[in-house]
Amino acid sequence: MAAAPIRVLLAESDALLRAAFRAGLEDHGFDVVASVGRSDDAVLEVERQAPDVAVLSAELVPTDGARTCAGIKSVDLPVRVLVISEHPDQELLLAAVDAGADGYLDRSGPLEALASAIHRVYAGEACIPSEMLGVLLRRLIQRGRDEDSAVNRYSRLSRREKEVVALLASGMDNAAIAEKLVVSRHTVRTHVQNVLEKLEVRSRVEAANLAIDFNLVERFSGEP
Amino acid sequence: MNAHHARGHQAPRQGPGITMLRQGGESVLCDGDGRPLYSLNATAAALWELCDGETTVDEIVEAVCLVCKVEREQARADLTRTLSDLSRSNLIEW
């Protein structure tokens, strides 16, 4: 008995390209269960069709392929995601990996490469361009170090200073923070100075971005 | 040191005078005179590039897990095997 064809959802904003990919994938024996031009439709169709593999263009609209991947991965279905890009670069690749993508491919290659990539991610293999693997690993390692450093610096803060950082990250100015914490503005200024020093940053914006980038407020929220 | 017993905090380093040459999708480690010594697949080539004396085994394992979507034990076993082979051939040092 022949194996059932791999069920594919295709999400590509360019209508001509979408039609060409669909025809090509069907010629290669895939069952294209849905073919959409928008990111929100992609997530809806994943829920509706439960494909085996979702092929997403990195340049999808209104939200890009990486963020759409994150949306699809949040659905409780075992869908593998392959992100394809016209202009592969490190940032896109990193975003796709962060979003949980199972593979990443330069779509300018032959259709056989796309078909092969779909088979590989369906089989549970990761599919990363070999020439980008080293750079990607290096970026992830550096990001891990940056995160460890941020966590170490944040852990130096007092409970009150952490409260101030949380309020900075929410966009409050000193007056609003003073009102929220029921302290004087002078006290808030002192806290902010201490925060900048302990976090080794030069501005409240940097402090807020550090907290947001590494999710520090939520990470430490349960601490006394 | 035997890489089979490599600890997570250890950081492998490329052997002195060893360079990697990439040709047509293949990677080869060469000695100081350019003589080919060892052929690497894409993954091993990427791992070789990380052997800078500062990047630890644990760091490499975590990154490989994230990218290659394998379990930590599998990533560590595969990495240890690769580093063992390179170490036996004096292509990396600890």
Side-chain angles (χ1 to χ4, degrees):
Chain A
M1 183 189 301
I6 297 172
R7 302 173 75 250
V8 173
L9 174 142
L10 176 63
E12 165 59 64
S13 297
D14 183 310
L16 285 177
L17 209 53
R18 188 168 68 244
F21 276 143
R22 177 169 198 153
L25 290 177
E26 287 174 345
D27 285 345
H28 277 76
F30 296 101
D31 179 9
V32 181
V33 298
S35 174
V36 301
R38 290 175 54 88
S39 53
D40 39 4
D41 290 335
V43 179
L44 281 174
E45 287 299 326
V46 162
E47 292 174 331
R48 197 173 293 158
Q49 303 286 352
D52 299 311
V53 179
V55 178
L56 311 178
S57 167
E59 294 83 18
L60 208 56
V61 294
T63 52
D64 64 36
R67 279 185 285 178
T68 306
C69 172
I72 288 173
K73 286 293 186 178
S74 70
V75 174
D76 191 20
L77 287 169
V79 181
R80 306 225 183 250
V81 177
L82 176 66
V83 175
I84 60 175
S85 176
E86 184 180 1
H87 307 291
D89 67 23
Q90 295 175 28
E91 296 306 322
L92 277 177
L93 178 55
L94 200 58
V97 169
D98 275 347
D102 301 279
Y104 183 88
L105 184 74
D106 178 353
R107 76 177 191 205
S108 64
L111 197 64
E112 285 71 23
L114 175 58
S116 173
I118 293 173
H119 279 289
R120 287 174 61 190
V121 298
Y122 176 70
E125 296 176 30
C127 179
I128 304 288
S130 59
E131 67 275 13
M132 298 182 86
L133 181 58
V135 169
L136 178 61
L137 291 174
R138 174 70 67 190
R139 286 288 303 271
L140 288 170
I141 288 167
Q142 185 56 52
R143 194 176 66 183
R145 291 173 180 172
D146 292 344
E147 185 170 348
D148 287 346
S149 170
V151 167
N152 285 341
R153 282 178 278 155
Y154 192 80
S155 66
R156 297 177 199 162
L157 303 181
S158 67
R159 184 180 58 82
R160 180 60 97 184
E161 288 163 353
K162 287 175 184 167
E163 288 176 344
V164 168
V165 171
L167 296 175
L168 286 174
S170 71
M172 283 191 188
D173 60 16
N174 283 4
I177 293 173
E179 187 177 337
K180 179 78 175 177
L181 298 182
V182 193
V183 297
S184 70
R185 291 189 196 187
H186 174 76
T187 299
V188 171
R189 275 198 299 275
T190 302
H191 282 318
V192 170
Q193 272 309 118
N194 290 339
V195 162
L196 299 188
E197 198 175 301
K198 291 181 182 179
L199 292 184
E200 298 175 22
V201 296
R202 287 167 293 186
S203 69
R204 51 200 296 131
V205 171
E206 273 191 55
N209 286 339
L210 191 76
I212 292 167
D213 288 347
F214 295 107
N215 201 27
L216 297 175
V217 173
E218 196 171 311
R219 192 193 291 240
F220 283 80
S221 64
E223 293 193 348
Chain B
M1 179 175 299
N2 186 344
H4 179 71
H5 300 292
R7 296 290 180 263
H9 62 274
Q10 292 178 313
R13 183 173 48 250
Q14 296 168 6
I18 307 298
T19 56
M20 184 166 67
L21 190 66
R22 291 184 194 269
Q23 281 182 331
E26 291 190 351
S27 300
V28 178
L29 296 181
C30 303
D31 64 13
D33 295 319
R35 279 190 295 260
L37 299 171
Y38 197 94
S39 192
L40 299 170
N41 63 22
T43 303
L47 295 178
W48 161 262
E49 288 182 314
L50 295 174
C51 293
D52 56 9
E54 293 181 1
T55 305
T56 66
V57 168
D58 276 347
E59 287 180 313
I60 298 172
V61 166
E62 287 301 318
V64 167
C65 285
L66 191 58
V67 172
C68 300
K69 297 188 179 294
V70 294
E71 296 296 325
R72 192 167 283 112
E73 294 72 25
Q74 181 66 51
R76 188 174 295 277
D78 292 344
L79 176 63
T80 300
R81 189 165 43 248
T82 300
L83 294 178
S84 252
D85 289 345
L86 293 173
S87 181
R88 266 197 297 275
S89 304
N90 297 317
L91 299 170
I92 63 166
E93 51 187 35
W94 298 87

